[in-house]
Amino acid sequence: MSWINLSALWKILVFGLVAGAGLPALFAGGLYALSLGPHRARAATAGADGGDDSDVLVGGSIAGIVIAALCFLIVLAAIGWSIYEIYQIGHPAPAKK
Amino acid sequence: MRSSAGGGSAVLWHGLTSKVVIPAVLSPVIAGLVAAIGTWSLYRITRSLTQAARGHGFRIGQIGSACLVSLAHGTNDAQKTMGVITLALIANGTLAKGSNAPIWVIVSCAIAISLGTYIGGWRVIRTLGKGLVEIAAPQGMAAESASAAVILLSSAFGYSLSTTHVATGSIIGTGLGKKGAEVRWNVAGRMATAWVFTLPCSGLVGAAAYALAHAVNGTLGVIVILIILAALAGLIFWRSRSNKVDHNNVNAEWTGTVTPAEPEPAAAAS
């Protein structure tokens, strides 16, 4: 009789890190790539000019936009796949007769 | 799952501990760790963006992560509500053993949970998003992603846990993962104290309701309990209206309590 299921625990930790921290980080990477280019909103550094408070997300670099789209697509695909997997757990395929 | 009726001997303590208590204690810690790492990396990756652009981007992301928390909540917490009703129906012989939750149980639980969310969310929102840690959009997204991932994974392993506990762990994690952010541990302590009390208290209320139904006998007893519970719920709701927290003052300065000091003048002044 075991009180803690260690194998479930480390799986929750590892997959939790991949999905719960990795996917948002990929989303953040997408935001960064999207911001690259000539129209980029620049963070104001202390005591220096050139900073603005623009909330523009698209910097205008084609490569940046492509990479950003790729990042966002991977995030969406991962979410879609996870929901499909969860659905499978909740609704197992009927056993073959 | 605790079985109803039959006294202390009918409670399966091992199942309660290994499937409910231990996951309830560990899941907020795991979620907090995930959220802290997530928060740190989100700020690190987007450090060259302006604060406004970062806020804009992560607010869009939060729509998705908030949806996932709701989904996760549905796969875990919300199942308990239906599970208890369905088990009672099976125990009563109304449903056959091994049957699924009837559609009316699913629909009424869904409506009740949605209505509760619609009516009573503001105080909890304020405590978690303003009182515990003053969160910004990137932290919100990190906390929601961590919560959703941990809850969905726990659902997959059959652990019953609480969205509230996990979300609180995540929010503390976002406070630890962001430089300069403050975690108000006294607020966290007060919440933890409340959690320790809710488990035995809900047991006592359940036992009292059962005793009353048994004493008054049958349908009449159930109706009496329903009236008492509805009256108590109404009283709590009425009390909450006298110092209301809503979308106007939910983000007002935190002065140590969930109800903003002087709602109307303070909101007008700032």
Side-chain angles (χ1 to χ4, degrees), chain B residues 7-34:
Chain B
S9 58
V11 179
L12 304 170
W13 292 106
H14 178 263
L16 180 66
T17 309
S18 69
K19 285 279 186 188
V20 180
V21 176
I22 290 175
V25 172
L26 288 180
S27 56
V29 178
I30 296 176
L33 185 72
V34 171

Side-chain angles (χ1 to χ4, degrees), chain B residues 230-251:
Chain B
L232 284 174
L235 182 71
I236 293 169
F237 183 67
W238 174 74
R239 284 273 296 145
S240 78
R241 303 290 288 186
S242 62
N243 41 20
K244 204 168 148 191
V245 178
D246 61 13
H247 63 96
N248 293 313
N249 60 2
V250 68
N251 268 330

Side-chain angles (χ1 to χ4, degrees), chain B residues 181-202:
Chain B
E182 181 201 0
V183 178
R184 293 198 185 91
W185 290 106
N186 62 329
V187 177
R190 254 184 291 165
M191 292 174 65
T193 313
W195 299 344
V196 170
F197 278 103
T198 46
L199 204 74
C201 282
S202 56

Side-chain angles (χ1 to χ4, degrees), chain B residues 81-137:
Chain B
T81 332
M82 305 197 309
V84 168
I85 297 174
T86 308
L87 280 179
L89 290 171
I90 291 173
N92 191 39
T94 315
L95 288 176
K97 266 186 189 173
S99 37
N100 290 325
I103 192 78
W104 68 264
V105 172
I106 300 175
V107 171
S108 50
C109 286
I111 291 173
I113 291 169
S114 317
L115 275 177
T117 312
Y118 178 74
I119 295 171
W122 292 108
R123 279 162 194 272
V124 177
I125 293 168
R126 180 163 161 77
T127 303
L128 290 175
K130 196 79 186 167
L132 189 58
V133 177
E134 308 241 351
I135 55 175

Side-chain angles (χ1 to χ4, degrees), chain A residues 1-5 7-9 11-17 19-21 23-32 35 40-44 52-57 79 82-83 86 89, chain B residues 13-14 17-18 22 26 30 33-34 37-38 41-42 45-54 56-61 68 71 75 141-142 145-146 149-150 152-157 159:
Chain A
M1 206 145 88
S2 129
W3 295 87
I4 299 186
N5 185 344
S7 90
L9 190 67
K11 277 181 194 151
I12 291 176
L13 182 62
V14 171
F15 290 117
L17 277 173
L23 289 179
L26 198 59
F27 178 83
L31 285 182
Y32 170 76
S35 77
R40 179 176 187 178
R42 293 196 181 280
D52 58 40
D53 204 27
S54 156
D55 70 346
V56 172
L57 289 178
I79 291 170
S82 316
I83 293 175
I86 292 155
I89 293 169
Chain B
W13 292 106
H14 178 263
T17 309
S18 69
I22 290 175
L26 288 180
I30 296 176
L33 185 72
V34 171
I37 294 171
S41 55
L42 294 194
I45 292 166
T46 59
R47 69 189 184 282
S48 65
L49 271 68
T50 62
Q51 205 180 349
R54 196 195 285 139
H56 184 189
F58 284 111
R59 272 201 303 280
I60 297 172
L68 287 172
L71 182 80
T75 66
M141 190 181 168
S145 307
V150 168
L152 287 173
L153 285 163
S154 303
S155 297
F157 285 106
Y159 290 123

